[in-house]
Amino acid sequence: MARLPILEYPDPRLRLRSQEVECFDADLSRLVDDLIETLHATGGIGLSAPQVDDRRRVLVMDHSGDASRPELFVNPVILADGALGLVEESCLSVPGLVGNVIRATELRVRAQDREGACFERDLSGMEAVCLQHELDHLEGRLFVDRLSFLKRLRFRMAARARAQRGSDAA
Ligand code: NI
């Protein structure tokens, strides 16, 4: 297992759409293990393959609070969703930004495990929200895109100022 580096905004690779997993082999299993190790090392609750520069439709979550219950979703699809809520989100690929996003607070998801077996699960609360956030990553979308126009504008200006300071220092 290995802890992988996480791509950060505005890296254009975060904007690519990930591809369906068709090959449930040792390489996929290695990616899954690395994603889980990387997630636990960061202390986050969710991580998707494109964030570690891999374009397979794979995401992991762990809501246990003590890194004891990693969950894997390969080729996840939302089958149905329920009531919407305004929730606060952040992202390992967008350090320093917290913002409110509208998400379904309950949903039913179908996915595959690392052997390719299909399963369905009902998720609610933060688990449902996190799954939608990670699923966005597989589509090349970031939670920044879902923020209000003003919040997005402020964020872009701050990011540009940071990049400018970085290039002045170099
Ligand atoms: Ni994220």
PDB file of all heavy atoms in Angstrom, residues 6 14 46-48 51 89-94 103 130 133-134 136-137 141-143, ligand 1:
ATOM      1  N   ILE A   6      -2.199  13.984  -3.653  1.00  0.00           N
ATOM      2  CA  ILE A   6      -3.546  14.411  -4.055  1.00  0.00           C
ATOM      3  C   ILE A   6      -3.455  15.649  -4.948  1.00  0.00           C
ATOM      4  O   ILE A   6      -2.796  16.633  -4.587  1.00  0.00           O
ATOM      5  CB  ILE A   6      -4.404  14.707  -2.803  1.00  0.00           C
ATOM      6  CG1 ILE A   6      -4.620  13.402  -2.026  1.00  0.00           C
ATOM      7  CG2 ILE A   6      -5.732  15.334  -3.185  1.00  0.00           C
ATOM      8  CD1 ILE A   6      -5.377  13.573  -0.729  1.00  0.00           C
ATOM      9  N   LEU A  14      -8.189  17.360 -12.680  1.00  0.00           N
ATOM     10  CA  LEU A  14      -9.386  17.181 -11.841  1.00  0.00           C
ATOM     11  C   LEU A  14     -10.670  17.384 -12.648  1.00  0.00           C
ATOM     12  O   LEU A  14     -11.765  17.106 -12.166  1.00  0.00           O
ATOM     13  CB  LEU A  14      -9.366  18.171 -10.675  1.00  0.00           C
ATOM     14  CG  LEU A  14      -8.336  17.906  -9.580  1.00  0.00           C
ATOM     15  CD1 LEU A  14      -8.231  19.105  -8.651  1.00  0.00           C
ATOM     16  CD2 LEU A  14      -8.695  16.647  -8.800  1.00  0.00           C
ATOM     17  N   GLY A  46     -13.877  11.132   2.510  1.00  0.00           N
ATOM     18  CA  GLY A  46     -14.112  10.562   1.191  1.00  0.00           C
ATOM     19  C   GLY A  46     -12.988  10.922   0.236  1.00  0.00           C
ATOM     20  O   GLY A  46     -12.353  11.974   0.384  1.00  0.00           O
ATOM     21  N   LEU A  47     -12.715  10.017  -0.702  1.00  0.00           N
ATOM     22  CA  LEU A  47     -11.659  10.265  -1.692  1.00  0.00           C
ATOM     23  C   LEU A  47     -12.004   9.505  -2.967  1.00  0.00           C
ATOM     24  O   LEU A  47     -12.492   8.376  -2.910  1.00  0.00           O
ATOM     25  CB  LEU A  47     -10.309   9.780  -1.139  1.00  0.00           C
ATOM     26  CG  LEU A  47      -9.065  10.085  -1.980  1.00  0.00           C
ATOM     27  CD1 LEU A  47      -8.805  11.584  -2.076  1.00  0.00           C
ATOM     28  CD2 LEU A  47      -7.838   9.377  -1.392  1.00  0.00           C
ATOM     29  N   SER A  48     -11.744  10.142  -4.115  1.00  0.00           N
ATOM     30  CA  SER A  48     -12.041   9.508  -5.398  1.00  0.00           C
ATOM     31  C   SER A  48     -10.738   9.305  -6.176  1.00  0.00           C
ATOM     32  O   SER A  48      -9.757  10.033  -5.971  1.00  0.00           O
ATOM     33  CB  SER A  48     -12.985  10.400  -6.202  1.00  0.00           C
ATOM     34  OG  SER A  48     -12.350  11.640  -6.464  1.00  0.00           O
ATOM     35  N   GLN A  51      -8.716  12.144  -7.902  1.00  0.00           N
ATOM     36  CA  GLN A  51      -7.934  13.032  -7.021  1.00  0.00           C
ATOM     37  C   GLN A  51      -6.503  12.546  -6.833  1.00  0.00           C
ATOM     38  O   GLN A  51      -5.631  13.311  -6.449  1.00  0.00           O
ATOM     39  CB  GLN A  51      -8.610  13.147  -5.644  1.00  0.00           C
ATOM     40  CG  GLN A  51      -9.905  13.946  -5.674  1.00  0.00           C
ATOM     41  CD  GLN A  51     -10.552  13.970  -4.314  1.00  0.00           C
ATOM     42  OE1 GLN A  51     -11.265  13.056  -3.943  1.00  0.00           O
ATOM     43  NE2 GLN A  51     -10.300  15.012  -3.550  1.00  0.00           N
ATOM     44  N   GLU A  89     -19.516  21.831   2.906  1.00  0.00           N
ATOM     45  CA  GLU A  89     -18.555  20.880   2.352  1.00  0.00           C
ATOM     46  C   GLU A  89     -17.174  21.490   2.262  1.00  0.00           C
ATOM     47  O   GLU A  89     -16.998  22.701   2.199  1.00  0.00           O
ATOM     48  CB  GLU A  89     -18.986  20.446   0.936  1.00  0.00           C
ATOM     49  CG  GLU A  89     -20.195  19.554   0.952  1.00  0.00           C
ATOM     50  CD  GLU A  89     -20.490  18.940  -0.409  1.00  0.00           C
ATOM     51  OE1 GLU A  89     -19.615  18.926  -1.301  1.00  0.00           O
ATOM     52  OE2 GLU A  89     -21.630  18.470  -0.566  1.00  0.00           O
ATOM     53  N   SER A  90     -16.190  20.586   2.241  1.00  0.00           N
ATOM     54  CA  SER A  90     -14.820  20.954   1.928  1.00  0.00           C
ATOM     55  C   SER A  90     -14.262  19.819   1.086  1.00  0.00           C
ATOM     56  O   SER A  90     -14.946  18.827   0.861  1.00  0.00           O
ATOM     57  CB  SER A  90     -14.007  21.146   3.207  1.00  0.00           C
ATOM     58  OG  SER A  90     -14.029  19.968   3.971  1.00  0.00           O
ATOM     59  N   CYS A  91     -13.028  19.969   0.592  1.00  0.00           N
ATOM     60  CA  CYS A  91     -12.485  18.972  -0.335  1.00  0.00           C
ATOM     61  C   CYS A  91     -10.974  18.902  -0.181  1.00  0.00           C
ATOM     62  O   CYS A  91     -10.314  19.946  -0.120  1.00  0.00           O
ATOM     63  CB  CYS A  91     -12.859  19.364  -1.765  1.00  0.00           C
ATOM     64  SG  CYS A  91     -12.214  18.248  -3.006  1.00  0.00           S
ATOM     65  N   LEU A  92     -10.435  17.698  -0.164  1.00  0.00           N
ATOM     66  CA  LEU A  92      -8.982  17.534  -0.031  1.00  0.00           C
ATOM     67  C   LEU A  92      -8.248  18.167  -1.219  1.00  0.00           C
ATOM     68  O   LEU A  92      -7.080  18.517  -1.109  1.00  0.00           O
ATOM     69  CB  LEU A  92      -8.622  16.042   0.064  1.00  0.00           C
ATOM     70  CG  LEU A  92      -9.110  15.326   1.335  1.00  0.00           C
ATOM     71  CD1 LEU A  92      -8.944  13.822   1.184  1.00  0.00           C
ATOM     72  CD2 LEU A  92      -8.376  15.837   2.558  1.00  0.00           C
ATOM     73  N   SER A  93      -8.936  18.295  -2.355  1.00  0.00           N
ATOM     74  CA  SER A  93      -8.321  18.887  -3.544  1.00  0.00           C
ATOM     75  C   SER A  93      -8.495  20.401  -3.611  1.00  0.00           C
ATOM     76  O   SER A  93      -7.992  21.044  -4.533  1.00  0.00           O
ATOM     77  CB  SER A  93      -8.904  18.260  -4.818  1.00  0.00           C
ATOM     78  OG  SER A  93      -8.487  16.919  -4.925  1.00  0.00           O
ATOM     79  N   VAL A  94      -9.256  20.961  -2.664  1.00  0.00           N
ATOM     80  CA  VAL A  94      -9.458  22.411  -2.627  1.00  0.00           C
ATOM     81  C   VAL A  94      -9.176  22.886  -1.200  1.00  0.00           C
ATOM     82  O   VAL A  94     -10.077  23.311  -0.484  1.00  0.00           O
ATOM     83  CB  VAL A  94     -10.893  22.795  -3.044  1.00  0.00           C
ATOM     84  CG1 VAL A  94     -10.971  24.302  -3.318  1.00  0.00           C
ATOM     85  CG2 VAL A  94     -11.351  22.019  -4.268  1.00  0.00           C
ATOM     86  N   ARG A 103     -27.562  19.490  -1.588  1.00  0.00           N
ATOM     87  CA  ARG A 103     -27.430  18.061  -1.916  1.00  0.00           C
ATOM     88  C   ARG A 103     -28.661  17.305  -1.439  1.00  0.00           C
ATOM     89  O   ARG A 103     -29.327  17.732  -0.487  1.00  0.00           O
ATOM     90  CB  ARG A 103     -26.237  17.452  -1.178  1.00  0.00           C
ATOM     91  CG  ARG A 103     -24.890  18.062  -1.477  1.00  0.00           C
ATOM     92  CD  ARG A 103     -24.286  17.521  -2.738  1.00  0.00           C
ATOM     93  NE  ARG A 103     -22.873  17.899  -2.827  1.00  0.00           N
ATOM     94  CZ  ARG A 103     -22.147  17.763  -3.933  1.00  0.00           C
ATOM     95  NH1 ARG A 103     -22.684  17.290  -5.037  1.00  0.00           N
ATOM     96  NH2 ARG A 103     -20.868  18.105  -3.931  1.00  0.00           N
ATOM     97  N   CYS A 130     -21.561  12.934   1.071  1.00  0.00           N
ATOM     98  CA  CYS A 130     -20.190  12.607   0.690  1.00  0.00           C
ATOM     99  C   CYS A 130     -20.172  11.805  -0.615  1.00  0.00           C
ATOM    100  O   CYS A 130     -19.341  12.054  -1.490  1.00  0.00           O
ATOM    101  CB  CYS A 130     -19.534  11.811   1.824  1.00  0.00           C
ATOM    102  SG  CYS A 130     -17.811  11.442   1.541  1.00  0.00           S
ATOM    103  N   HIS A 133     -20.597  14.128  -3.473  1.00  0.00           N
ATOM    104  CA  HIS A 133     -19.382  14.936  -3.660  1.00  0.00           C
ATOM    105  C   HIS A 133     -18.330  14.126  -4.422  1.00  0.00           C
ATOM    106  O   HIS A 133     -17.726  14.622  -5.385  1.00  0.00           O
ATOM    107  CB  HIS A 133     -18.866  15.361  -2.285  1.00  0.00           C
ATOM    108  CG  HIS A 133     -17.576  16.118  -2.311  1.00  0.00           C
ATOM    109  ND1 HIS A 133     -17.471  17.440  -1.946  1.00  0.00           N
ATOM    110  CD2 HIS A 133     -16.320  15.746  -2.667  1.00  0.00           C
ATOM    111  CE1 HIS A 133     -16.215  17.837  -2.075  1.00  0.00           C
ATOM    112  NE2 HIS A 133     -15.485  16.823  -2.505  1.00  0.00           N
ATOM    113  N   GLU A 134     -18.129  12.872  -4.005  1.00  0.00           N
ATOM    114  CA  GLU A 134     -17.106  12.036  -4.660  1.00  0.00           C
ATOM    115  C   GLU A 134     -17.539  11.663  -6.077  1.00  0.00           C
ATOM    116  O   GLU A 134     -16.723  11.584  -6.997  1.00  0.00           O
ATOM    117  CB  GLU A 134     -16.821  10.780  -3.834  1.00  0.00           C
ATOM    118  CG  GLU A 134     -16.360  11.030  -2.406  1.00  0.00           C
ATOM    119  CD  GLU A 134     -15.205  12.014  -2.307  1.00  0.00           C
ATOM    120  OE1 GLU A 134     -14.368  12.079  -3.228  1.00  0.00           O
ATOM    121  OE2 GLU A 134     -15.144  12.742  -1.292  1.00  0.00           O
ATOM    122  N   ASP A 136     -19.263  13.496  -8.024  1.00  0.00           N
ATOM    123  CA  ASP A 136     -18.945  14.691  -8.815  1.00  0.00           C
ATOM    124  C   ASP A 136     -17.509  14.632  -9.328  1.00  0.00           C
ATOM    125  O   ASP A 136     -17.244  14.963 -10.488  1.00  0.00           O
ATOM    126  CB  ASP A 136     -19.107  15.962  -7.967  1.00  0.00           C
ATOM    127  CG  ASP A 136     -20.515  16.547  -8.030  1.00  0.00           C
ATOM    128  OD1 ASP A 136     -21.360  15.996  -8.749  1.00  0.00           O
ATOM    129  OD2 ASP A 136     -20.755  17.578  -7.362  1.00  0.00           O
ATOM    130  N   HIS A 137     -16.583  14.219  -8.464  1.00  0.00           N
ATOM    131  CA  HIS A 137     -15.177  14.113  -8.885  1.00  0.00           C
ATOM    132  C   HIS A 137     -15.037  13.193 -10.099  1.00  0.00           C
ATOM    133  O   HIS A 137     -14.233  13.454 -11.001  1.00  0.00           O
ATOM    134  CB  HIS A 137     -14.308  13.565  -7.751  1.00  0.00           C
ATOM    135  CG  HIS A 137     -13.878  14.586  -6.740  1.00  0.00           C
ATOM    136  ND1 HIS A 137     -13.086  15.677  -7.072  1.00  0.00           N
ATOM    137  CD2 HIS A 137     -14.108  14.686  -5.405  1.00  0.00           C
ATOM    138  CE1 HIS A 137     -12.860  16.393  -5.968  1.00  0.00           C
ATOM    139  NE2 HIS A 137     -13.466  15.823  -4.957  1.00  0.00           N
ATOM    140  N   ARG A 141     -16.245  17.275 -11.842  1.00  0.00           N
ATOM    141  CA  ARG A 141     -16.850  18.448 -11.195  1.00  0.00           C
ATOM    142  C   ARG A 141     -16.299  18.599  -9.782  1.00  0.00           C
ATOM    143  O   ARG A 141     -16.023  17.618  -9.101  1.00  0.00           O
ATOM    144  CB  ARG A 141     -18.378  18.270 -11.094  1.00  0.00           C
ATOM    145  CG  ARG A 141     -19.130  18.675 -12.329  1.00  0.00           C
ATOM    146  CD  ARG A 141     -20.606  18.919 -12.002  1.00  0.00           C
ATOM    147  NE  ARG A 141     -21.263  17.748 -11.469  1.00  0.00           N
ATOM    148  CZ  ARG A 141     -21.961  16.893 -12.206  1.00  0.00           C
ATOM    149  NH1 ARG A 141     -22.093  17.076 -13.495  1.00  0.00           N
ATOM    150  NH2 ARG A 141     -22.531  15.858 -11.646  1.00  0.00           N
ATOM    151  N   LEU A 142     -16.191  19.846  -9.339  1.00  0.00           N
ATOM    152  CA  LEU A 142     -15.746  20.133  -7.976  1.00  0.00           C
ATOM    153  C   LEU A 142     -16.863  20.862  -7.236  1.00  0.00           C
ATOM    154  O   LEU A 142     -17.710  21.515  -7.862  1.00  0.00           O
ATOM    155  CB  LEU A 142     -14.492  21.010  -8.003  1.00  0.00           C
ATOM    156  CG  LEU A 142     -13.271  20.382  -8.686  1.00  0.00           C
ATOM    157  CD1 LEU A 142     -12.146  21.405  -8.806  1.00  0.00           C
ATOM    158  CD2 LEU A 142     -12.782  19.162  -7.917  1.00  0.00           C
ATOM    159  N   PHE A 143     -16.861  20.781  -5.894  1.00  0.00           N
ATOM    160  CA  PHE A 143     -17.949  21.422  -5.144  1.00  0.00           C
ATOM    161  C   PHE A 143     -17.931  22.933  -5.319  1.00  0.00           C
ATOM    162  O   PHE A 143     -18.956  23.595  -5.178  1.00  0.00           O
ATOM    163  CB  PHE A 143     -17.924  20.997  -3.662  1.00  0.00           C
ATOM    164  CG  PHE A 143     -17.024  21.799  -2.767  1.00  0.00           C
ATOM    165  CD1 PHE A 143     -17.551  22.679  -1.833  1.00  0.00           C
ATOM    166  CD2 PHE A 143     -15.656  21.677  -2.847  1.00  0.00           C
ATOM    167  CE1 PHE A 143     -16.735  23.417  -0.995  1.00  0.00           C
ATOM    168  CE2 PHE A 143     -14.825  22.412  -2.018  1.00  0.00           C
ATOM    169  CZ  PHE A 143     -15.364  23.282  -1.096  1.00  0.00           C
TER     170      PHE A 143
HETATM  171 NI    NI B   1     -13.470  16.419  -2.945  1.00  0.00          NI
END
